[in-house]
Amino acid sequence: MPNKNRCLTPATDEECRRARLSLQDTLDVVGGKWKLVLISILRGGKLKFRELSREAGISPRILSKELKEMEINGLVTRTVLDTRPIMVEYELTPYSNTLSEVIIAMHEWGKKHRQKMIGQKS
Amino acid sequence: MPNKNRCLTPATDEECRRARLSLQDTLDVVGGKWKLVLISILRGGKLKFRELSREAGISPRILSKELKEMEINGLVTRTVLDTRPIMVEYELTPYSNTLSEVIIAMHEWGKKHRQKMIGQKS
DNA sequence: GATACCAGTTACAAAAAGGATACTATGCCA
DNA sequence: TGGCATAGTATCCTTTTTGTAACTGGTATC
């Protein structure tokens, strides 16, 4: 029996609207081209600004902007090291681990999708 | 003992690179402002062009473009109904269900993140 | 014939994102 | 003093994305 409202999991239109808002909240925080990629990279351990820039292939200007936003949202910490020359380490916060499921789900899907695409070629 | 490579789950740098590529593949297909939102809406059942436009609050121009890309990627089907005036229904494909985990993970995270943000206000 | 509905498209404008390059400031080393 | 490395910033420009408004074409209705 088909359901009248616009969602499967939620029971009411109101819950449905809220579910969509949640999705959009997530997209506001980790949407865009870089944030999830940066988190994915940092899951391997803290990195310095330059290293991160090289690793991700992202220009310093954009990287700086992304990291600031991620710091505001509590996803990374910024630590200035007392070295010469000064270096800055970026590290994921424990809170960022709550995104694991999202990232892993996207890893998995991308892998399967690529296999599907390759299969279709022949 | 800290690991030398840049990932936790994968064992080698090569696997790590591939994991990141998978993530980026996924972002290529469902990244951007609208695609996951549209899928989320369509999970409640097929909708006509206008309905979808109103429901998502997206202009016809963008909606048309997004739907074309999603059709190419095998995520939605487009069916012209023989009605006056002609209407077109968009429906998720079975393949799009493979994105469930991604969407649900993002729903959940957005919900929790919002609660965290509200908690921090006080 | 005027009006209204549907599914889009077209043309134009605005905004956001991204990239390249050069630059600041600090301090080491030779 | 000059050269190098670090972490960014500043400036300029191009590309991409998004939005608005008007419009096409087909059909029904008043």
Side-chain angles (χ1 to χ4, degrees), chain A residues 21-39 65-76 95-96 98-99 102, chain B residues 106 109-114 116-117:
Chain A
L21 279 184
S22 296
L23 180 60
Q24 270 162 332
D25 284 345
T26 304
L27 291 172
D28 284 345
V29 178
V30 295
K33 193 169 172 179
W34 294 112
K35 293 203 181 63
L36 285 177
V37 173
L38 291 175
I39 292 177
K65 196 198 62 178
E66 299 288 308
L67 286 172
K68 271 177 194 164
E69 292 168 6
M70 291 164 74
E71 205 187 344
I72 287 172
N73 281 309
L75 298 175
V76 296
Y95 181 58
S96 77
T98 58
L99 281 167
V102 173
Chain B
M106 291 180 83
W109 193 85
K111 201 160 71 182
K112 284 177 193 158
H113 182 67
R114 173 174 289 261
K116 186 198 166 212
M117 290 295 109

Side-chain angles (χ1 to χ4, degrees), chain B residues 26-90:
Chain B
T26 303
L27 290 172
D28 284 345
V29 177
V30 295
K33 193 169 173 179
W34 293 113
K35 293 203 181 65
L36 285 177
V37 172
L38 291 175
I39 292 177
S40 172
I41 292 174
L42 285 173
R43 277 164 70 83
K46 55 179 90 163
L47 283 179
K48 304 187 184 63
F49 188 86
R50 268 313 158 190
E51 292 172 333
L52 199 43
S53 171
R54 268 193 294 267
E55 189 81 17
I58 179 175
S59 70
R61 194 180 71 86
I62 309 293
L63 179 58
S64 173
K65 195 200 63 178
E66 299 287 307
L67 287 172
K68 272 178 195 163
E69 292 169 5
M70 291 165 73
E71 206 188 346
I72 287 172
N73 281 309
L75 297 175
V76 296
T77 56
R78 178 182 182 277
T79 311
V80 179
L81 304 180
D82 192 14
T83 57
R84 316 298 136 194
I86 280 174
M87 296 189 205
V88 179
E89 266 181 359
Y90 289 91

Side-chain angles (χ1 to χ4, degrees), chain A residues 109, chain B residues 74-77 91-100:
Chain A
W109 193 84
Chain B
L75 297 175
V76 296
T77 56
E91 187 174 15
L92 291 183
T93 62
Y95 181 59
S96 76
N97 275 329
T98 58
L99 281 166
S100 288

